[in-house]
Amino acid sequence: METIRIKYLSDKIEKLRYIDGKSDWIDLRAAERIELKQGEFRLIPLGIAMELPKGFEAHIVPRSSTFKNFGVIQTNHCGIVDESYCGNNDQWFFPALAMRDTVIEVNDRICQFRIFEHQPAIFFEETDDLDNADRGGIGSTGKQ
């Protein structure tokens, strides 16, 4: 089990917790009340900073209900936080674009994260032939 040091930058949000057996993803909450008009962009503060273990990174993505509940999309589609972003004021944020007028309240669960090990070093070997059968190109497996 990995231990991750966390600093809470808000006393208004619930503490993070890992629920074993339910999901590997951990919910993150809005640390401020945010009002957005359709088309408006805002970095939503998540009220935490972390010291990730060396060799690990966090991937931040919306929850499955984020768009339905709040009408926002994450502008970078997947936020990556590496272990070098670990200072006292290196707060995590959710970059949101409002597709409709919306209000996000303090402590609303708006996104989630998971920890991944860094990709190993890779060497690319150039070749003229991959020796494999073609699959048929992008979208070749159909709709069903």
Side-chain angles (χ1 to χ4, degrees), residues 41-52:
F41 168 81
R42 181 84 60 90
L43 288 173
I44 300 173
L46 301 173
I48 60 165
M50 282 190 216
E51 183 181 61
L52 296 174

Side-chain angles (χ1 to χ4, degrees), residues 42-82:
R42 181 84 60 90
L43 288 173
I44 300 173
L46 301 173
I48 60 165
M50 282 190 216
E51 183 181 61
L52 296 174
K54 189 157 189 66
F56 286 82
E57 63 194 25
H59 293 198
I60 303 170
V61 298
R63 298 179 75 242
S64 61
S65 61
T66 298
F67 185 77
K68 177 183 67 115
N69 291 340
F70 305 108
V72 298
I73 58 174
Q74 184 174 351
T75 58
N76 59 354
H77 304 289
C78 178
I80 307 296
V81 177
D82 67 28

Side-chain angles (χ1 to χ4, degrees), residues 4-135:
I4 297 176
R5 293 176 39 171
I6 184 168
K7 179 178 179 179
Y8 288 94
L9 304 168
S10 170
D11 60 359
K12 298 174 185 172
I13 59 172
E14 287 184 30
K15 306 288 188 197
L16 297 187
R17 39 176 227 238
Y18 179 77
I19 303 171
D20 195 26
K22 182 178 178 196
S23 172
D24 287 344
W25 294 84
I26 300 165
D27 290 337
L28 294 166
R29 298 170 182 274
E32 294 178 12
R33 184 178 195 272
I34 303 289
E35 290 186 45
L36 294 167
K37 299 291 184 198
Q38 182 178 355
E40 191 176 1
F41 168 81
R42 181 84 60 90
L43 288 173
I44 300 173
L46 301 173
I48 60 165
M50 282 190 216
E51 183 181 61
L52 296 174
K54 189 157 189 66
F56 286 82
E57 63 194 25
H59 293 198
I60 303 170
V61 298
R63 298 179 75 242
S64 61
S65 61
T66 298
F67 185 77
K68 177 183 67 115
N69 291 340
F70 305 108
V72 298
I73 58 174
Q74 184 174 351
T75 58
N76 59 354
H77 304 289
C78 178
I80 307 296
V81 177
D82 67 28
E83 78 268 21
S84 69
Y85 192 72
C86 59
N88 279 324
N89 296 305
D90 287 338
Q91 179 168 208
W92 291 16
F93 290 87
F94 180 77
L97 177 64
M99 305 309 289
R100 60 173 164 83
D101 292 358
T102 191
V103 175
I104 298 169
E105 298 292 347
V106 171
N107 218 35
D108 279 346
R109 296 179 298 158
I110 59 169
C111 56
Q112 58 191 340
F113 79 100
R114 185 174 184 200
I115 305 296
F116 291 91
E117 283 192 75
H118 288 299
Q119 177 173 290
I122 294 175
F123 172 77
F124 292 98
E125 178 185 346
E126 189 172 341
T127 183
D128 291 327
D129 187 4
L130 294 175
D131 301 324
N132 299 301
D134 289 340
R135 235 181 86 180

